[in-house]
Amino acid sequence: MQLRQELESPPAFRRFGSGWVSGVLGLILGLAGLFLVISLRFPGLMAMPETRSLQQNIWFRVGLHTTLVTAFVLALLSLVLRRGKILGTAGATAVLLAGLIGGSHATSLVRGPIPVFLGLDFFVLNVLFTGLLFIPLERIFPRKADQEIFRSEWREDIFYYLVSSLMVQILTFLTFFPAKTILTFAPLAGVRGWIAALPFFVQFVAIMFLTDLVQYWVHRAFHKVPWLWRFHAVHHSAKTMDWMAGARMHFLEIFALRSLTVIPMYVLGFTDTAMHAYIFLVYVYSTFVHANVGWRLRLFEKILVSPRFHHWHHGIEPAAINVNFSVHFPLLDRLFGTYYLPKDAWPSGYGISGHPVPQGYFSQFKYPFASSKDTLLPPERT
Ligand SMILES: [Zn+2]
Ligand SMILES: [Zn+2]
């Protein structure tokens, strides 16, 4: 609680020289270092096979060592500067724990390959990469300049990052399972050969279009079918838009949405390079459209989905209900009659009218299954 209060301190207690910046950075880097050391100790359990070769790289060890030393120095600086000692103490403790279990020299405690793993290292890389990319963008070009990094419900949204990162193995398996099953029954060798021979750029745009087309109708069904809406309402319960908000999605919706949208991409025979490039794009793009970035992008948003376009999808206004379902091409919403983008305006707030979804990861996980008299569907547009 004390730590949370410190992180969410009002601006007067966060000014430069107050020890807040050093304390927060020390804590984040300290925890990142600690989690990476844990993943070095238990590579089979806590690290993805893809990062195991990275772990043997000398520069990874040097980077980890630098991270831990920097975190410790920042935590000490915060302890000197700040009256409240909890940030500095927590950061320094994380570094000391990381040191105790082996630090940057940590070796594996596990012998032999283990078929199941949790992506703890993926969580660290995921949050550091998206945070480093989007926090500066949101600070320099904010849509809402007074919005804090540690705004309300930030812990829930980071927890969504943690769960989907830890579960990366099972999610990847489940995501491709329906597509792989379809492929065994419908081999489509002719079509697959023809598509694989197309130039990379054509394949990339075709994947964007086909996945968005499927995503559009799945997403629209999630808004229109009462029991599906209860799952999707979790995503719409976010009252703040930023780089963390997009991660809020019910586990079963992640599975349904991803496994259905990858079907055309996987079954039609696009090359691995095109598929991997698209997966990276959608990873960054889906964070971008939720970000607290106030760019106008007038030309861009005629062709591609902008943050303003997707912010209207989350808008609290009655006019913003059931609009802007696409994630790449606004053209789909124009074609199917759900396009809504008033000139230069932004929604006045975000979320579902009456905010029926409870707070907290586990309450939100249970929400769709509970028998409740809450509004089943978003009310129709007015
Ligand atoms: Zn939606
Ligand atoms: Zn969204």
Side-chain angles (χ1 to χ4, degrees), residues 140-292:
I140 305 169
F141 308 103
R143 144 83 185 111
K144 289 188 172 176
D146 55 352
Q147 189 169 299
E148 318 283 356
I149 298 174
F150 297 104
R151 39 71 174 180
S152 68
E153 299 186 33
W154 66 271
R155 294 177 312 149
E156 275 96 329
D157 292 340
I158 283 291
F159 200 76
Y160 274 94
Y161 261 99
L162 178 68
V163 173
S164 54
S165 306
L166 288 180
M167 298 291 166
V168 62
Q169 185 186 30
I170 180 83
L171 267 176
T172 311
F173 172 77
L174 290 174
T175 299
F176 286 96
F177 184 72
K180 284 183 176 171
T181 312
I182 292 173
L183 196 58
T184 28
F185 291 108
L188 299 170
V191 183
R192 287 172 61 83
W194 181 76
I195 286 183
L198 291 170
F200 168 80
F201 183 72
V202 178
Q203 289 195 41
F204 188 75
V205 176
I207 294 178
M208 275 180 86
F209 188 79
L210 290 171
T211 41
D212 205 13
L213 184 65
V214 176
Q215 187 280 145
Y216 177 95
W217 287 105
V218 176
H219 189 179
R220 198 161 158 175
F222 268 100
H223 277 249
K224 291 288 183 182
V225 180
W227 65 273
L228 286 178
W229 167 250
R230 294 181 65 84
F231 286 92
H232 190 53
V234 170
H235 181 63
H236 279 268
S237 69
K239 301 186 200 81
T240 318
M241 284 291 108
D242 64 3
W243 65 281
M244 286 185 269
R248 180 186 298 217
M249 197 176 271
H250 196 280
F251 195 82
L252 291 186
E253 187 189 343
I254 300 180
F255 160 62
L257 193 67
R258 287 191 193 168
S259 65
L260 292 170
T261 51
V262 303
I263 288 174
M265 174 173 91
Y266 194 82
V267 173
L268 291 176
F270 292 97
T271 56
D272 283 354
T273 322
M275 286 200 284
H276 292 156
Y278 173 74
I279 290 168
F280 182 69
L281 170 93
V282 79
Y283 164 69
V284 177
Y285 203 125
S286 54
T287 310
F288 172 61
V289 297
H290 292 95
N292 178 32

